[in-house]
Amino acid sequence: MKLNRIGQIVAAGALALAPLASAQAQSVDLEADFDRAFGTEDRAPRDFTPAYENYLEAHIAQLADGSNGRIGVAAIDLSTGQRISVVGDQRFPLASTSKIAIAAAYLEGVDEGRWSLSSEYPTLWPQRSTPLSTAVAPVRKGEYLPALELIDLMITRSSNPATDALLAAMGGVEPVNDWMRRAGISEFSLDRDIATLVRDNREFDARSYIDPRDSVTPDAMVELLAGIYQGRWLSTKSREIIIDAMERCRTGKSRIPAMMPDDVTVAHKTGTLHRVASDVGILTAPDGRSIVVAIYVTGQGSGRNRNSRIAGIARAIYDGYVSRDTLLASNDNGQRQTSTN
């Protein structure tokens, strides 16, 4: 039997893809079949640089082939520990994906009794100022809201005034960086409040310049999400506050959630700056297994194109993990399943 196109195996319903390869099945060894799917004995395998760990990572590398910019992807199947990393060790703009780390740092303080969810802080609204004219963008105080509501607003609606309120309550960005270091995640740097970041975000062209400030690697972001989801650092209540808010996220409907099956639970957080779009989150399948994913995109033309790339890559990751395991499980009686549709 012939394997279907790799796009049918790992990206059913995702972006229309050109056929990648096919292979003749001579045994019931599915692992070998997947490897052969990128090159038969009479044709050399495609030359991916760098060499990727498995068929799925190589396929995601093709989808994440950026033009006039970069695309970084990382993912972990929490049920198996299998990882994907495509440009996952390079820095990308955090944008509003930083809000997950900010919430986690504050909630650790709540767990330790230093802060409270009921404490009220003023929202901080940016005032008009010239880009790069001051080290910190001017803001004015707005409505006072309890910390729990600020956390909800900053994740579900990506509210910048709510985020800066929480940062100010903690004493700035350094407590967040300190929490990340203590969590063992080093490839992360939060350097400015959101008002300043947004005002000055056109200082460099993200398509061609890697700014180490306010940046993260996709690999580091999936470690953060996995640790929060697995309860490594926060209490059960604090963990649930973050995950619940991410499940109710109202931004980025055309990103990770756009192409997911209806029975997949998506908990995610978006980030957007000039020529930058990102989405990071946790995909939970109907059987309860969870996949953590981080996708960062710069360039690629329009905002619609960036969103489309994120949606297609996210669906390919989900289908790649779930379809592969479905195929392997179906082989218990030695019968090969050739389609995952």
Side-chain angles (χ1 to χ4, degrees):
M1 291 184 180
K2 293 183 179 179
L3 287 178
N4 283 348
R5 293 180 307 171
I6 296 305
Q8 291 175 311
I9 295 175
V10 296
L15 298 176
L17 301 172
L20 299 178
S22 63
Q24 196 73 18
Q26 300 297 330
S27 71
V28 295
D29 187 350
L30 287 178
E31 293 284 351
D33 282 343
F34 278 121
D35 291 337
R36 284 196 294 270
F38 286 93
T40 60
E41 293 180 355
D42 60 351
R43 185 181 64 191
R46 292 180 63 98
D47 180 22
F48 292 100
T49 304
Y52 292 102
E53 292 293 328
N54 51 60
Y55 83 99
L56 178 56
E57 191 172 74
H59 176 58
I60 297 303
Q62 287 198 328
L63 295 181
D65 181 21
S67 59
N68 196 25
R70 296 179 300 133
I71 300 177
V73 181
I76 306 173
D77 183 341
L78 297 181
S79 66
T80 65
Q82 184 186 6
R83 294 171 178 261
I84 295 170
S85 181
V86 177
V87 198
D89 60 351
Q90 290 188 17
R91 294 278 189 142
F92 285 83
L94 266 167
S96 287
T97 65
S98 66
K99 292 168 184 176
I100 297 172
I102 294 168
Y106 186 87
L107 287 166
E108 182 200 50
V110 173
D111 290 343
E112 295 177 348
R114 290 182 282 121
W115 299 311
S116 167
L117 290 174
S118 60
S119 296
E120 296 190 351
Y121 306 107
T123 52
L124 297 176
W125 294 86
Q127 301 299 285
R128 186 185 298 273
S129 62
T130 302
L132 304 172
S133 60
T134 56
V136 178
V139 295
R140 65 170 177 82
K141 292 182 178 181
E143 180 183 8
Y144 279 71
L145 296 173
L148 181 59
E149 186 172 348
L150 292 172
I151 292 171
D152 194 76
L153 287 171
M154 64 190 267
I155 294 179
T156 63
R157 305 191 185 197
S158 205
S159 168
N160 294 339
T163 306
D164 282 344
L166 216 59
L167 279 175
M170 289 188 286
V173 300
E174 193 49 40
V176 182
N177 290 320
D178 177 66
W179 184 85
M180 291 290 284
R181 285 192 295 267
R182 288 187 286 106
I185 303 173
S186 59
E187 296 302 310
F188 171 98
S189 182
L190 187 64
D191 299 274
R192 292 167 286 187
D193 62 19
I194 304 299
T196 306
L197 173 64
V198 171
R199 184 195 67 177
D200 297 342
N201 91 95
R202 298 193 184 204
E203 181 179 2
F204 302 106
D205 188 340
R207 296 174 301 176
S208 58
Y209 182 84
I210 300 177
D211 191 342
R213 298 173 302 168
D214 301 292
S215 67
V216 70
T217 66
D219 289 345
M221 181 53 70
V222 293
E223 286 296 333
L224 171 63
L225 292 171
I228 291 173
Y229 185 79
Q230 294 171 332
R232 293 183 210 164
W233 309 299
L234 301 175
S235 68
T236 299
K237 180 179 180 180
S238 291
R239 169 199 176 276
E240 289 176 350
I241 287 172
I242 294 178
I243 300 300
D244 175 68
M246 290 175 66
E247 288 180 356
R248 293 182 290 105
C249 180
R250 297 188 181 187
T251 62
K253 298 299 184 183
S254 59
R255 297 184 189 177
I256 286 178
M259 300 178 71
M260 285 297 143
D262 291 340
D263 55 1
V264 174
T265 300
V266 178
H268 70 124
K269 179 70 198 80
T270 57
T272 307
L273 289 171
H274 181 56
R275 293 173 174 164
V276 171
S278 52
D279 207 358
V280 305
I282 303 152
L283 313 175
T284 303
D287 62 3
R289 67 185 297 182
S290 293
I291 300 163
V292 175
V293 60
I295 306 170
Y296 289 84
V297 178
T298 69
Q300 318 313 314
S302 67
R304 178 176 294 181
N305 287 343
R306 287 188 284 274
N307 293 346
S308 178
R309 299 298 291 276
I310 291 171
I313 291 168
R315 179 61 192 261
I317 289 171
Y318 177 80
D319 283 343
Y321 280 133
V322 173
S323 297
R324 180 184 175 96
D325 286 355
T326 298
L327 281 170
L328 293 173
S330 74
N331 196 45
D332 289 343
N333 63 358
Q335 299 299 313
R336 184 177 316 285
Q337 178 178 328
T338 60
S339 174
T340 60
N341 290 340

